[in-house]
Amino acid sequence: MRVGMGYDVHRLTEDRDLILGGVKIDWEKGLLGHSDADVLIHAVMDALLGAAALGDIGKHFPDTDPAYKGISSILLLEHVTKLLREHHYEIGNIDATIIAQKPKMAPHIPQMRANMAKAMGINESQLNIKATTEEKLGFTGREEGIASQAICLLNERKES
């Protein structure tokens, strides 16, 4: 068994789509980043890569590489899952938290879980996503950005 944790944050800005868990959320601002800036998926990928001692998303998907400009983080998550399999790991479970004052995340969480579980080839019961505010405190409370944290458990896969 191996555990990993991940954290990501992006600034909110106008004229960008808000994408979280592969879901486009209708809201007045989106997250600024080189890719689609999906902080939820980025935190999950960092947790998975960390548990497998494979570095972080910056190592695998540098923001200096034009190939990743605007890319869907779902595609990056599929790639990370492939790396895990190549290194003989399987996902036990993932628990993730979105930290945002607005918009409300609860209506979107079922679709986030479905999108991400499909990308990783796992059952939705292996992935928990929740959301919280910071009671108007800090940069997330002031609606300047959105953050996400994730923790995961990997199991070493037995060779057949």
Side-chain angles (χ1 to χ4, degrees), residues 80-132:
V80 166
T81 304
K82 182 181 174 202
L83 280 174
L84 294 176
R85 288 189 191 112
E86 288 171 359
H87 286 85
H88 310 290
Y89 293 110
E90 58 187 26
I91 297 168
N93 74 299
I94 299 166
D95 186 26
T97 304
I98 303 165
I99 306 159
Q101 194 64 39
K102 290 181 184 173
K104 292 287 185 194
M105 297 295 160
H108 308 287
I109 288 175
Q111 189 61 55
M112 292 176 189
R113 287 181 72 205
N115 293 350
M116 293 172 65
K118 180 179 179 188
M120 293 181 283
I122 63 173
N123 191 298
E124 286 183 40
S125 67
Q126 294 172 269
L127 172 62
N128 187 58
I129 299 171
K130 52 200 180 290
T132 190

Side-chain angles (χ1 to χ4, degrees), residues 1-3 5 13 16 24 28 33 49 54 59 66 76 82 94-95 103-104 111 113 126 132 135 139 151:
M1 262 189 284
R2 298 175 69 117
V3 297
M5 61 166 272
T13 188
R16 287 276 299 202
K24 183 178 174 184
E28 62 200 41
L49 290 166
L54 294 174
K59 173 184 173 183
L76 303 179
K82 182 181 174 202
I94 299 166
D95 186 26
K104 292 287 185 194
Q111 189 61 55
R113 287 181 72 205
Q126 294 172 269
T132 190
E135 302 296 324
F139 72 89
I151 189 165

